[in-house]
Structure formats: structure tokens, C-alpha cells
Amino acid sequence: MGIDKKSVNAWCIHFDHYDPEDEGRRESLLALGNGLLVSRAAAPESKDDPIHYPGTYLVGCYNELTTHIQGKDVRNESMVNLPNWLPLSFKVNGGDWFSLEKVTIQTYSQTLDLQQSLLTRQVLFTDGQGQETLLNERRFVSMADPHLMGLALEVTAKNWTGTLEVASGLDGRVFNNKVKRYSPYNRHHLQVSHAGVWGEDGMELLSSTSQSKTTIALAARTQVRKGELQADLTREEKLEPDQVFTYYQVPLEEGECVAIEKIAALYSSLNYPPEECRPKACKSLQLASGFEKLLEAHTKAWEHLWRKCQFETEDQQQLRFFRLHIFQILQNFSPHTVGIDAGVAPSGWQGEEYNGQVFWDELFVFPFLTFHFPESARSLLRYRYRRLGAARQMAQQDGYAGAMFPWRSASDGHEETPSFQLNLLSGRWMEDHTCLQRHIGAIIAYNVWYYVQVTGDEEFLAECGAELFLEIARFWASIAQLNPATGRYEIHGVAGPDEYHTLHPQTQKPGLSNNTYTNVMAVWVLSQAEPLLGQLPPNRQQELQDKLKLTPEEFELWDTISRKMRIVFNPDGTLCQFEGFDQLREFDIEEFRVKHGKERLDWALEAMGDSVQRYRVAKQADTPLLLYLFSPAEVISLLDQLGYHMDEDLLLRTLERHLSFTSHESTLSRVVYAGAYAHFDLATSWDFFWEAQQVDWSPEDKGTAEGIHLGPMGGTLAVLQHHYLGWKVRAEELEANPSLPDSLAWVNFSVCFRNSDLLCKAVNSDGHSLFLGRQA
């Protein structure tokens, strides 16, 4: 689709037609949130069906259920689809309740205003009786008061006179039903204990999660007006055990308009004592002003957020991509999220993909937050610190020291990776060993180091950051084994970021040997541990060493391992993904896709009686992640520290080799390659960068219906900051060495560095000049 880049409104995401096949993606992409609540952009008249999926989620709210699978009782912890606050529909003169599938649409418009976080919809339609009606809809999830949500409809009788019947309700008949491959699991998380009405226009629904016992109090008020006056109407309530609806009948003349306003409040025991949730929800609605004033306060709150992350560039389409990515991060991790026990869900909090569990996606979101909302970044680190005890226990159970963090976590520090995954192509269950991705600990350590470098937050470092880092270093020293034959340390029984290879090529037992990315990251952590400890005051250093029982001999061992780790190379001197990878069978990705389509390779091969583990193919970037996180000079230095010679030419050849067998079946893969190639080939880097931005944006991306891809969104901003603008902290100073791709003529980007608000200006001409000054 051709786009006039100058005519694009960089603040708006707009759709000019209704597409049932694309509705699921739009519901995720246009979802609204405030860091406490996120609500999908499902039409208020819709229900859970093959086209629509209303979903509202509370950040950090999980529930665990057990299902009998493959002869085992499998527990599964998931984010919870909360009672639906949206139900609001109407019908004309006793006809059908409004549904886009039942009317003839004359004009359709749906717009997300990123600046105001306001979703609007306008539909002009004709029903089966030839009655023409105009619907205008607006909604928001308040950033000013994180417990409130607002929905406003205006219904205009274009060519008819008669009665408009309005139905407004709260529906507790919901369960987690969006992801097809989770259908064998138990997904009914809620128990509704009360549904009722209060006052002249209020309704309420009280529920709780079945296992975690989180109380959810949802209340709403609905007001119907003609002009400035309360409409002349009749009202009737209908109560059922798990839902409540109020029905209104309003007389209308041709040309008249009815305004319907619904304000909802949601409180939970994650933030308040259970007995206070219901009274607080009702009281907040009694005190809340009308839709317009609430919207004004909400818009003002977003104005303050945007002021902290001002961004401008010439290409308006590119500007819209950046703003969309910032917007999605902020509505999932706003200042309201600070203090909530929550990590980064890969699909945000607007979709049930991966059950809302926490992987490593914070790696990609973290750089933006640290440079613009450091309190939110710190909150994510505290999520990890709260699970340090569980990580120590996991390490001990597996015979290691220190802290071994789970690949997937949720409400606590237990490993949430399922033992089996359902293959939708074959209908069979496949063993899942991706829990062996121990590199998650290195990422947590990297984020601690990164946060402290950018913010200079010595208090955090002293309170928990250093302890977190040191216990992860201790784990790496524990899992590394000395090979007496070579005099080098090796790491066995792990899996790399690739995820398609989790079985040892020779033994076919779970776990690989000497994954290059894992080994180098372990070396980096061990190398940084003592310098990081040295940033603390002497008395705190001693306190921490006493607490952890750290000895000089242990530090000496860490130093030895950091200089004697084994790295595996290919015969041509490039880095090999893991020991034995080069001995696997070759695999032609393009030829396979021509013959068998674009299904997941692991699913497709298993359905054919084969296994992806046999082939030299990667799901996503693995070893190239090193060049996403570090400059070529830093990677060369780490390898030189180990006694291995590597130059930039070999690093580039390593990239090219790995790219040749990467299938990019993870949306993170192209972001990683964009960063990795930035130093070597800006044009290739930008190609990957542009493709990465199409995730969620393209109607071809059907996976977005299950939730957005927050990691790649954060990753594009991280690539911009570090690889294109060249931000780097050195000697407690922020340096910049910009190298903008040709497609970015210039960039202005605000930044917060050690409590100073700055404005970064980079120009793609005259040596890419850069200026840092006080933000206006």
C-alpha cells in the first residue's frame, strides 16, 4: 500500500473500513491502558466469538489452574481475563441488537489518537428495515485515575422515528479463550460472587480468581441524555448470578441524537484489602465527574508523559511507528505500574499469548524506560529482586550455587515453562525444554548494570542491585565446569535463544554444550561482578560480602573462569552457535517454505515425522545477540580476554553465516539483526529495522490478534538509541556517536540522564553532527 509520507498524521492509527478477518489484530493494536489496566479495543456491542474478543486485564494479576495432560497433572499460571465492563448496545424499533455483521455499513472509521490515548469509531449504517443510523463512539482508560474507564456513544436517527432501546451491562461470563493452542487447558479463572445494582444508574459485579484469591470489584454507571437533559426514558434491570444488565427505552424523532455515557471503575485486592474493593469502586463512581471532564484529565496526564519522551523526525510514517511503540510501552508500563509486582509480558497486557508470563523481553524494553522513565525500569528490576530467594532455591535444587532464574515466571519465582506444547498441525504434544535457557540470568544482570550506568542510582545498587548481580555471577561460576583435557571451563545442559535446539546432538538428552551466546554472557557477568561491587561504599561492600559469604578465593575463581571459558568456532574461524551445531544437516529454509508454506518449522517438521533438532536452522538470532548488546570492539575484547583472536571481518562473517540459517520465526529476530548489522552495514541494518516495525502493523500478522509484540517495539527504540544515535555511558558521562541510516534525515529525541533532562539532536549530514542541551 503506497503512503504519502508527508500527509500521514503521525499521532493517529486509522482504519477506514471494517474487516472482520482483521478485527482481532485491531483489538490488540488499538487497546487502551494506563499501566494498571489494559482493555482490548473490542466493540462494546460484541461478545467472544470467532471475530471479536473483549478482554480486560489487570497488570500483575495471575491465577493458576491444573489440567491433566499426557498422563500428568500440569499446572499453568496465566494472566486473567477480567469481567467485561464494555457491554453497551442498542436496537431500533424492536429490531436486532446492533452488530456490524447484521447491518449494511455505508461508512466506517476507527481511529486511535496516540497523543490523547483516545479510541474513536464512527459508523453510518442501514438495518434490515431500511432505517439509517449514525453511531459515534469514544473511549479511554484513564491515565489520570488508573481505576476508571470511560465509554461514550452518540446514536443519531437519520431517517426514522421511534424507540431506541439501550442495553448496558457488566458480564462475568468470561474466561481465557483467545489462544487456540491453549484450548486443552483449564481456562476458567473467575468466580462471580455478586451481581447487583445501586443508586439510580449504577451496577456492580464482585468476583475473585479461583486459586490466587484476588478480589475484583467492577462497578459502572450509565447515563442517557438527549441534548443537555436526562432523556425521557424507561429503565429495567436484569440480574443473573454472573452478569447484570440495565435496559433503557428512549423515544427519538428523526434527526435526534441520544448520548449514552458509561463510566466504569475497577479495584482489586492486589492494591487494596479485599473488603475495601467493592466500596471503593462504587464510591469512586459517585465522586467521578462526567465523561468530558474525565477525558480532559486523562489527556492532561498523557501530555505529561509525552513531554518526557519527545520525539521528532522528518518521515511522518517513521515518526508514527516510533510513537506507536512508545505509546504501547507507556500504557503497559506507566508511572502507575511503579510498585506493582509485574514484569514485561511479551504480548503486553492486552493479549493472552504466552499466558502473560514473563520471559526476557525486558531486555528490549528496558533501554527506553531507563533513559525516559527510570522509576519504571527500577520497578522491573525489583520484580526480579523479589524472586531472588526462589532463584536461589532453584539453583540449589539443581546442584548449583547462587541464583538461577526461571525462563518463564509469573506471580512468583517458580518456573512456568510447560513440559509440553500442543502442535496445532499434527494435534500431538511436543516436549518443551526451553526452560533450559539459563541465559535469562545474564540478561537480568545486564539490566542491573545498565540501569546503574545510566541513572547512577547508588541507593538501588546498595539495596538490591549488587546482591542480585553477585548471586547471578555465583551461579555462572557454579555451572561452569573445568575440562582438564583443555584447561578451559565449559557450560553444559543449557539452551540458547534459538529455542529450536534444546537436545544435545550426540546424546539427544535435554541441554546443549557451550552455547556461544550463553558462555560469552557468563564471561561478561563474571568480569563485571567485582567492579560493580567496587562502586559501593566500603562498609556496604563488606556487609554484602559477609551476607553472601563471598571470599577472596571465590572472586579469584570468577576471574579465572572469565579468562578460561571455552568458545566454539566453525572451521572458518567464525563463531559457532553451540558445540556440534556445525555437524547438523543443512536446511534450505526458502525451499521448504515453497513446498510446505509458512508454518512454524518445528511444528511442520514434527507433523511430517521429523524434527527441527536435526537441522542447521535457527528460529531467531542467537549468537548475533552479542553484537546487539555490545559493540564489535567490546565483543573482540571479551574474546581476547579469553585468548581467542577475532577481528571485525570475522564478526561480520559470523553475522552473515548465522543469518543464512535464521528463519526469523520470532518477532525479536529482525530487531537483533538490525542492531548487530548497524556497525557493519547501515543499509542492511535499516532493512531489518523496517521489517521489524511491520510486526503488528501489517494485516498479514495474524498473531497480533493474541496480543502485540512488546519486545520488538521496545527493541526498535533501543536500536535507535544505541546503534543509530550511539548513546553510551563512559566515565559517568553520556556520550553520543550517531550514525543514522539514510532513511533518517534527522532525529530529535529527549532523554533523561542522571536526573538531567536533555534533548538529543542528530543530523544525517556533515559527519552526523550531534548536540546535547537542556530540554526546552
Side-chain angles (χ1 to χ4, degrees):
M1 180 176 63
I3 296 174
D4 181 352
K5 296 181 179 180
K6 292 184 179 179
S7 66
V8 167
N9 183 341
W11 282 113
C12 289
I13 311 298
H14 178 74
F15 297 96
D16 61 6
H17 68 286
Y18 175 64
D19 183 354
E21 293 186 2
D22 194 37
E23 189 68 4
R25 179 184 72 95
R26 297 180 187 183
E27 289 179 354
S28 293
L29 186 65
L30 307 181
L32 299 175
N34 57 24
L36 179 68
L37 299 168
V38 182
S39 185
R40 289 172 61 87
E45 71 275 4
S46 68
K47 298 179 181 179
D48 176 9
D49 60 29
I51 297 174
H52 307 282
Y53 188 70
T56 298
Y57 307 92
L58 182 65
V59 173
C61 180
Y62 292 98
N63 190 63
E64 183 182 294
L65 297 173
T66 301
T67 308
H68 196 71
I69 294 176
Q70 293 290 93
K72 298 180 180 179
D73 285 333
V74 178
R75 63 176 187 85
N76 185 53
E77 191 169 32
S78 175
M79 64 193 299
V80 179
N81 185 12
L82 303 181
N84 186 10
W85 71 279
L86 283 172
L88 184 60
S89 190
F90 57 88
K91 61 182 177 179
V92 176
N93 288 326
D96 292 329
W97 289 105
F98 171 63
S99 167
L100 289 173
E101 285 71 45
K102 295 180 180 179
V103 300
T104 301
I105 300 172
Q106 298 182 29
T107 62
Y108 182 91
S109 174
Q110 187 178 35
T111 302
L112 172 60
D113 184 326
L114 301 172
Q115 192 170 22
Q116 299 184 75
S117 185
L118 178 68
L119 182 63
T120 61
R121 183 176 63 146
Q122 184 181 81
V123 187
L124 180 63
F125 65 90
T126 304
D127 61 24
Q129 288 72 48
Q131 299 169 124
E132 187 177 89
T133 305
L134 176 64
L135 166 66
N136 281 291
E137 175 193 333
R138 294 179 296 160
R139 78 171 78 168
F140 65 87
V141 174
S142 178
M143 189 62 76
D145 184 334
H147 299 283
L148 295 181
M149 301 167 282
L151 173 63
L153 304 185
E154 291 181 350
V155 182
T156 303
K158 300 295 287 186
N159 69 348
W160 55 269
T161 296
T163 301
L164 181 76
E165 186 171 354
V166 177
S168 177
L170 302 176
D171 186 7
R173 297 179 178 180
V174 298
F175 63 105
N176 287 31
N177 194 39
K178 186 57 185 171
V179 184
K180 184 178 179 180
R181 68 180 184 277
Y182 299 160
S183 57
Y185 290 90
N186 186 356
R187 293 162 289 136
H188 291 77
H189 295 280
L190 285 176
Q191 298 171 337
V192 178
S193 58
H194 170 75
V197 296
W198 53 274
E200 295 183 357
D201 52 20
M203 60 186 80
E204 61 185 359
L205 198 71
L206 190 66
S207 61
S208 62
T209 54
S210 59
Q211 172 270 332
S212 57
K213 305 301 180 185
T214 300
T215 297
I216 309 292
L218 178 63
R221 73 174 192 221
T222 306
Q223 297 175 336
V224 183
R225 289 185 172 85
K226 288 169 66 174
E228 297 297 322
L229 302 176
Q230 192 83 14
D232 181 17
L233 51 81
T234 60
R235 172 183 170 180
E236 178 185 355
E237 291 93 14
K238 182 179 180 181
L239 298 177
E240 296 190 23
D242 45 14
Q243 64 177 5
V244 53
F245 274 82
T246 304
Y247 296 88
Y248 307 85
Q249 291 191 348
V250 189
L252 273 186
E253 299 289 334
E254 181 177 339
E256 283 190 317
C257 174
V258 168
I260 310 159
E261 175 186 295
K262 183 176 184 179
I263 308 298
L266 193 150
Y267 282 75
S268 84
S269 58
L270 292 182
N271 308 102
Y272 298 96
E275 66 276 7
E276 293 183 13
C277 294
R278 181 181 171 192
K280 281 186 175 293
C282 295
K283 186 67 174 179
S284 68
L285 289 180
Q286 292 172 345
L287 297 176
S289 52
F291 183 93
E292 299 301 336
K293 288 188 176 181
L294 290 174
L295 175 59
E296 181 180 352
H298 162 73
T299 302
K300 196 70 176 177
W302 268 99
E303 180 183 326
H304 292 311
L305 293 181
W306 283 115
R307 193 175 296 135
K308 292 185 176 182
C309 46
Q310 298 176 38
F311 184 89
E312 296 290 343
T313 193
E314 182 179 52
D315 185 329
Q316 295 300 291
Q317 171 70 339
Q318 183 57 57
L319 179 57
R320 179 164 59 178
F321 278 134
F322 282 130
R323 284 177 174 167
L324 172 63
H325 296 177
I326 292 171
F327 172 81
Q328 293 289 5
I329 292 173
L330 290 183
Q331 68 173 2
N332 277 278
F333 297 96
S334 78
H336 297 304
T337 319
V338 175
I340 294 178
D341 188 32
V344 177
S347 298
W349 290 94
Q350 57 252 62
E352 296 166 10
E353 176 73 306
Y354 306 114
N355 295 307
Q357 294 168 359
V358 177
F359 296 66
W360 67 328
D361 299 77
E362 67 216 65
L363 169 66
F364 302 93
V365 174
F366 203 78
F368 169 78
L369 289 177
T370 306
F371 268 111
H372 297 89
F373 297 91
E375 298 85 359
S376 296
R378 177 172 175 156
S379 184
L380 290 177
L381 291 175
R382 287 194 175 278
Y383 171 86
R384 296 299 189 178
Y385 183 73
R386 293 187 192 99
R387 287 149 181 78
L388 180 57
R392 286 174 172 138
Q393 186 176 15
M394 276 189 61
Q396 186 178 23
Q397 288 173 347
D398 280 22
Y400 302 122
M404 184 176 78
F405 281 86
W407 175 235
R408 297 170 67 161
S409 63
S411 66
D412 56 28
H414 291 98
E415 177 63 73
E416 297 295 337
T417 304
S419 302
F420 301 94
Q421 294 280 4
L422 178 62
N423 183 344
L424 292 179
L425 298 181
S426 67
R428 294 188 290 266
W429 290 90
M430 299 171 59
E431 287 189 344
D432 187 338
H433 301 295
T434 56
C435 62
L436 297 175
Q437 293 185 78
R438 306 306 183 199
H439 61 85
I440 181 68
I443 289 309
I444 296 169
Y446 180 89
N447 286 342
V448 169
W449 172 86
Y450 185 96
Y451 172 79
V452 172
Q453 296 301 305
V454 174
T455 65
D457 190 344
E458 295 179 357
E459 180 183 10
F460 168 79
L461 182 64
E463 285 182 357
C464 51
E467 182 179 359
L468 195 55
F469 197 104
L470 291 169
E471 285 292 77
I472 293 170
R474 177 175 267 168
F475 164 74
W476 287 121
S478 175
I479 196 174
Q481 301 176 21
L482 178 63
N483 184 336
T486 63
R488 287 195 174 272
Y489 287 85
E490 302 181 349
I491 296 178
H492 304 284
V494 300
D498 164 27
E499 292 192 327
Y500 274 174
H501 296 90
T502 57
L503 301 178
H504 195 282
Q506 280 76 46
T507 66
Q508 291 301 297
K509 292 182 178 179
L512 307 172
S513 292
N514 296 313
N515 172 259
T516 294
Y517 170 75
T518 301
N519 284 21
V520 174
M521 289 304 296
V523 167
W524 181 85
V525 172
L526 292 168
S527 300
Q528 294 295 327
E530 196 164 7
L532 192 78
L533 180 63
Q535 295 183 41
L536 297 177
N539 61 331
R540 179 54 183 155
Q541 290 185 42
Q542 191 59 53
E543 289 174 0
L544 197 52
Q545 290 182 68
D546 292 344
K547 176 182 179 180
L548 302 181
K549 296 181 174 58
L550 281 169
T551 64
E553 292 75 22
E554 195 164 1
F555 282 116
E556 289 177 9
L557 176 62
W558 294 3
D559 180 69
T560 299
I561 297 173
S562 74
R563 298 178 186 279
K564 292 291 183 180
M565 183 73 76
R566 182 187 175 194
I567 305 298
V568 181
F569 293 85
N570 294 304
D572 63 356
T574 58
L575 295 169
C576 188
Q577 186 165 305
F578 59 82
E579 186 177 344
F581 183 81
D582 60 329
Q583 302 300 312
L584 299 177
R585 298 185 182 187
E586 289 189 13
F587 187 87
D588 191 321
I589 298 171
E590 295 307 317
E591 180 182 349
F592 187 87
R593 285 176 172 164
V594 168
K595 292 181 179 179
H596 304 286
K598 295 184 178 181
E599 299 290 352
R600 285 177 46 164
L601 294 182
D602 59 337
W603 285 8
L605 287 167
E606 191 276 340
M608 297 163 59
D610 205 344
S611 172
V612 74
Q613 307 257 9
R614 301 172 61 228
Y615 297 98
R616 198 157 62 245
V617 60
K619 174 184 176 182
Q620 61 182 319
D622 192 300
T623 306
L625 263 163
L626 295 171
L627 288 164
Y628 173 87
L629 294 173
F630 305 111
S631 70
E634 289 169 327
V635 174
I636 290 170
S637 177
L638 282 167
L639 293 171
D640 184 66
Q641 174 181 312
L642 293 168
Y644 296 111
H645 173 72
M646 176 71 70
D647 56 26
E648 289 196 8
D649 178 65
L650 275 174
L651 285 180
L652 176 57
R653 286 162 54 196
T654 294
L655 268 183
E656 293 169 342
R657 184 184 184 104
H658 284 257
L659 178 60
S660 69
F661 56 70
T662 302
S663 66
H664 304 298
E665 293 188 352
S666 164
T667 56
L668 292 170
S669 188
R670 288 182 173 87
V671 168
V672 172
Y673 273 104
Y677 263 103
H679 179 85
F680 302 102
D681 184 343
L682 271 178
T684 298
S685 170
W686 182 258
D687 287 343
F688 282 117
F689 189 87
W690 183 258
E691 291 174 11
Q693 292 180 122
Q694 306 308 309
V695 175
D696 300 323
W697 183 262
S698 170
E700 300 301 316
D701 191 347
K702 304 302 182 183
T704 304
E706 299 172 352
I708 60 166
H709 297 83
L710 205 58
M713 289 184 172
T716 61
L717 298 169
V719 170
L720 173 70
Q721 290 180 180
H722 293 288
H723 296 282
Y724 296 160
L725 293 176
W727 292 356
K728 190 174 186 63
V729 179
R730 198 187 309 272
E732 301 187 2
E733 296 290 335
L734 179 60
E735 296 181 355
N737 183 25
S739 181
L740 297 181
D742 290 341
S743 297
L744 289 176
W746 55 269
V747 169
N748 292 346
F749 201 6
S750 62
V751 55
C752 176
F753 179 69
R754 302 203 172 192
N755 297 317
S756 294
D757 292 326
L758 307 171
L759 183 62
C760 169
K761 297 186 176 183
V763 182
N764 193 353
S765 63
D766 301 327
H768 312 300
S769 56
L770 176 86
F771 308 92
L772 286 174
R774 291 294 299 177
Q775 181 178 330

